[in-house]
Amino acid sequence: RNLDGFFGGGVQVTSNAPAFSVRSISPARGSLLGDNEAVITGSGFRPGGGSQTDLKVQFLRPVAGGDPVVLPVTEILLAESTQVRFKVPDSGLRRTGILSTPVDVEVTLGSSRRTLARAYAYEYPRVLSANLASVRSGGGELLILTGTGFAPSSTAAFLVDGAVTRVSAQVTKVEADGTKHFLVTPDLRGSEGKKATVEVTVPGVDTFPLPGK
């Protein structure tokens, strides 16, 4: 039997590829310097296994009374049908003192464009708390600083006896969203009984002490 006649004039062939969409970004915040990894989830990012070069991601930072500043993503680490993993671009902001700057996240695939409005926030660095109230002079303890805006390149140090002695601490990890800074306490023998404080330095921005310590 003739198939064209059976289907009344022909068969319409449609694509079974998922529609291009964006749903979310994780983490949704990070350092002013960028360089942390983030993942956008959605669908249709690689239709038919298409080229990764067809896919572009950029952040749009608002400017009062003007066009937004375009912050292109230059390092896409992985592009699959349902997710894109990349390095967050530098915000271009430094000593603004503004605690949080929300930006739009825009994904372009060929001639199609999707936007997550105010979906990511660049956060100014702050050290808010620590998991330890005191440390052993011999060092080697895990100290976790909680705050905002910590960068992958952030460094940490202990200031002893009113900053007479400054001792660098080994940084083991910085959370991708910039809210936790993990470090190993240094050897502080000879400083027993002296007051010490901890500070985090975000390159190009400033140095931020742990308050009240």
Side-chain angles (χ1 to χ4, degrees), residues 32 92-98 124-125 201-208:
L32 298 178
L93 302 171
R94 290 300 181 262
R95 301 186 180 189
T96 63
I98 299 173
Y124 197 72
T201 298
V202 179
V205 182
D206 212 337
T207 296
F208 304 89

Side-chain angles (χ1 to χ4, degrees), residues 19-212:
F20 173 42
S21 68
V22 294
R23 288 194 292 272
S24 62
I25 181 172
S26 179
R29 56 179 176 170
S31 163
L32 298 178
L33 304 184
D35 200 39
N36 55 300
E37 290 189 13
V39 175
I40 293 174
T41 58
S43 61
F45 294 140
R46 296 285 298 276
S51 170
Q52 181 172 306
T53 58
D54 296 334
L55 184 70
K56 292 180 172 51
V57 181
Q58 60 187 19
F59 289 17
L60 304 176
R61 175 164 60 81
V63 176
D67 294 331
V69 175
V70 177
L71 308 171
V73 168
T74 59
E75 191 173 355
I76 292 180
L77 305 173
L78 176 70
E80 297 179 331
S81 179
T82 59
Q83 68 174 21
V84 182
R85 182 161 55 89
F86 58 94
K87 288 288 189 74
V88 173
D90 191 314
S91 70
L93 302 171
R94 290 300 181 262
R95 301 186 180 189
T96 63
I98 299 173
L99 296 183
S100 181
T101 303
V103 298
D104 293 349
V105 180
E106 186 177 88
V107 183
T108 303
L109 183 64
S111 60
S112 300
R113 182 178 301 170
R114 304 288 185 269
T115 302
L116 294 170
R118 297 172 63 86
Y120 189 88
Y122 287 104
E123 295 190 323
Y124 197 72
R126 291 183 296 164
V127 185
L128 300 176
S129 63
N131 66 317
L132 301 176
S134 62
V135 298
R136 295 192 297 264
S137 61
E141 296 178 277
L142 177 63
L143 181 65
I144 304 173
L145 302 178
T146 300
T148 62
F150 299 144
S153 56
S154 298
T155 59
F158 278 74
L159 304 182
V160 182
D161 199 17
V164 172
T165 304
R166 187 178 192 276
V167 184
S168 296
Q170 176 191 353
V171 176
T172 60
K173 179 183 177 182
V174 176
E175 290 284 5
D177 65 359
T179 60
K180 290 189 185 299
H181 205 293
F182 298 79
L183 55 97
V184 177
T185 59
D187 188 337
L188 298 172
R189 281 174 288 190
S191 301
E192 290 86 349
K194 295 180 180 179
K195 182 176 175 60
T197 187
V198 187
E199 64 179 20
V200 172
T201 298
V202 179
V205 182
D206 212 337
T207 296
F208 304 89
L210 176 63

